[in-house]
Amino acid sequence: MAAGAPAAPEWLIAGTNWQLTGSVDLYSQARGEGLASQAWTGRHLQILTSPAATGPGMRLRVRLLDDGYPGFLEPDSLLGRAVACSPPQPQLLQRCSIVQRMEQVLSFAQAAQRVANTYLWGGSLGPNYDCSGLMQRAYASAGIWIPRDAYLQERFCQPVAVQPGQVQLLEPGDLIFFGTPQRCSHVGLHLGGGRYLHSSGVAHGRNGIGIDDLAPQNPDPVARHYRLELRGAGRVMHSHNGSPLPT
């Protein structure tokens, strides 16, 4: 057990805050399968429900304090992986500071591509990522927090006009969003000139991290699939303040 943490299960008290000393998995529901995200060493979380309130075999409901993301956690996954802490103070970065850190964001994402990987729904630890998990982790590597999921990232960003073959307004580090007219379901990181890096699955992607572009003449089936699902692009103007996220 981590130094300073009382014995389980008494220390798993609703309302308490913890900093991770090891990585943990977050699930989308109290029981069963369904990885929602992963949290790495140094992240902060708050317990929302105690074991006494959940019942035997039920996961704890928690919220990650760095980005406001909710999920469910196996109670014993915090043993030896968390220390009690105060809530973290939000780092209120503005666009000028983000621009200065963009090289680190891009470098992290490109380094992740060079490591053998496959697509993992909910993956944000590496080497296996989902699309939005890779975006969040790349930005977090530079101390910039953005929301966890692609549709939340789209809402968080300042919109930037983009169409296939018309990418002049995009800057390196902008996020490019894909999906249906009703909902964003995929995101990539703009590298420059309409080229973007993203982690895509088996059905329409490469089962891992690759680079595509928005050029209309690109016949590659992966590039074509996402080009036809282009929704728009966005620019990260500030860092997330850790407040709870809308559903």
Side-chain angles (χ1 to χ4, degrees), residues 23-101:
S23 60
V24 297
D25 291 338
L26 269 73
Y27 295 88
S28 58
Q29 52 194 352
R31 281 197 176 104
E33 302 296 325
L35 184 67
S37 188
Q38 297 170 309
W40 52 89
T41 298
R43 295 204 62 176
H44 303 81
L45 63 84
Q46 183 179 70
I47 295 176
L48 301 179
T49 55
S50 64
T54 58
M58 299 281 283
R59 298 186 179 113
L60 301 175
R61 186 166 172 263
V62 302
R63 179 170 70 89
L64 295 173
L65 296 176
D66 310 286
D67 61 0
Y69 197 73
F72 293 88
L73 197 68
E74 296 289 353
D76 59 1
S77 67
L78 290 180
L79 293 174
R81 297 180 183 176
V83 292
C85 70
S86 300
Q89 293 299 312
Q91 190 172 13
L92 303 178
L93 297 177
Q94 300 303 317
R95 179 62 188 175
C96 58
S97 298
I98 290 171
V99 170
Q100 294 172 354
R101 303 181 185 203

Side-chain angles (χ1 to χ4, degrees), residues 148-189:
R148 173 59 179 84
D149 293 339
Y151 78 98
L152 294 170
Q153 293 172 0
E154 184 184 49
R155 295 178 189 175
F156 183 76
C157 288
Q158 175 179 287
V160 179
V162 61
Q163 294 181 11
Q166 298 180 8
V167 297
Q168 297 88 343
L169 298 181
L170 288 179
E171 296 179 3
D174 286 347
L175 300 181
I176 303 177
F177 301 105
F178 307 86
T180 66
Q182 291 75 34
R183 187 175 176 87
C184 174
S185 59
H186 190 70
V187 59
L189 181 70

Side-chain angles (χ1 to χ4, degrees), residues 224-235:
R224 183 178 185 277
H225 170 81
Y226 286 108
R227 187 169 66 244
L228 293 174
E229 291 198 345
L230 177 65
R231 283 175 56 90
R235 184 160 298 152

